[in-house]
Amino acid sequence: MPPAPARRALRTARGTLALIVVTAAALSLAACSSVASALSEGSSDGSNPSATISTAAPAASGTALAALDTIPVKGRAPHTGYDRVGDFGEAWKDIDGNHCDTRDDVLSRDLLQVVKKGSCTVETGVLNDPYTGKTIDFQRGVQTSLLVQIDHVVPLSDAWETGAQQLTQQQRETMANDPLELLAVDGPTNSAKGDGDAATWLPPNRSYWCTYAAKQVSVKAAYHLWVTQAEHDALERILGGCPSQQAWVSALAPTVGLG
């Protein structure tokens, strides 16, 4: 048996070793707990990439989302002084010089089984209405023509309040007759739309929302208009569900200095 001093030294050494082991184990557990907490919640210094870095990719070039990113976000300008005919011209001009008015041009483009009187006047046709999904038989006449109307995709009143006041008369009249801005649709549905923007009105036919939003964005981009915050957010939500939806380019806007 070792002498008493040696036994006391041995007990002290064993106690110290046990304390070291216990302390190391506690530190290891604390470190594991800290890592787990950082992974689940995100560290307070932002060092957890999975918690702080967005994985959203930028909008692809040529898409409506990319075009939306170029449009300023502002509040509405005053409606004071708005005059539909005085500011945007008489409907419907022969804006492209083909000797047919714009309404007949749009009907010829959007209707099927078109029958014309002469080279321009659309007498009958069939519309697959994008706003409702209905099939409408069009027949020109006092009681029937209004069943199919030509919608300004960006309402002219909305355009006036989001930058068109700053355009020239020629630029506004070109916009009002631009085929990009015009669409043959169900008459009553167009009347219900009124001056609503994307934040307050969308077509009943949800399958057309992506195309509708892309057309509005394309027109506003082409004619250097802006969007309100609510309008921007609504367009972004719609187009976020179809990020590959392409924008359109106006063939007429560059002819009046808005390329």
Side-chain angles (χ1 to χ4, degrees), residues 21-103:
V21 171
V22 170
T23 301
L27 290 173
S28 178
L29 287 172
C32 290
S33 176
S34 177
V35 170
S37 177
L39 288 174
S40 63
E41 300 176 2
S43 57
S44 60
D45 64 359
S47 61
N48 175 18
S50 65
T52 60
I53 296 178
S54 172
T55 58
S61 177
T63 63
L65 271 175
L68 179 61
D69 287 341
T70 70
I71 299 177
V73 179
K74 302 181 184 180
R76 290 189 176 279
H79 191 74
T80 307
Y82 173 67
D83 179 345
R84 164 64 178 84
V85 175
D87 295 323
F88 290 93
E90 294 279 355
W92 296 94
K93 294 198 170 189
D94 175 17
I95 201 73
D96 58 3
N98 70 347
H99 307 297
C100 301
D101 69 40
T102 304
R103 175 178 168 83

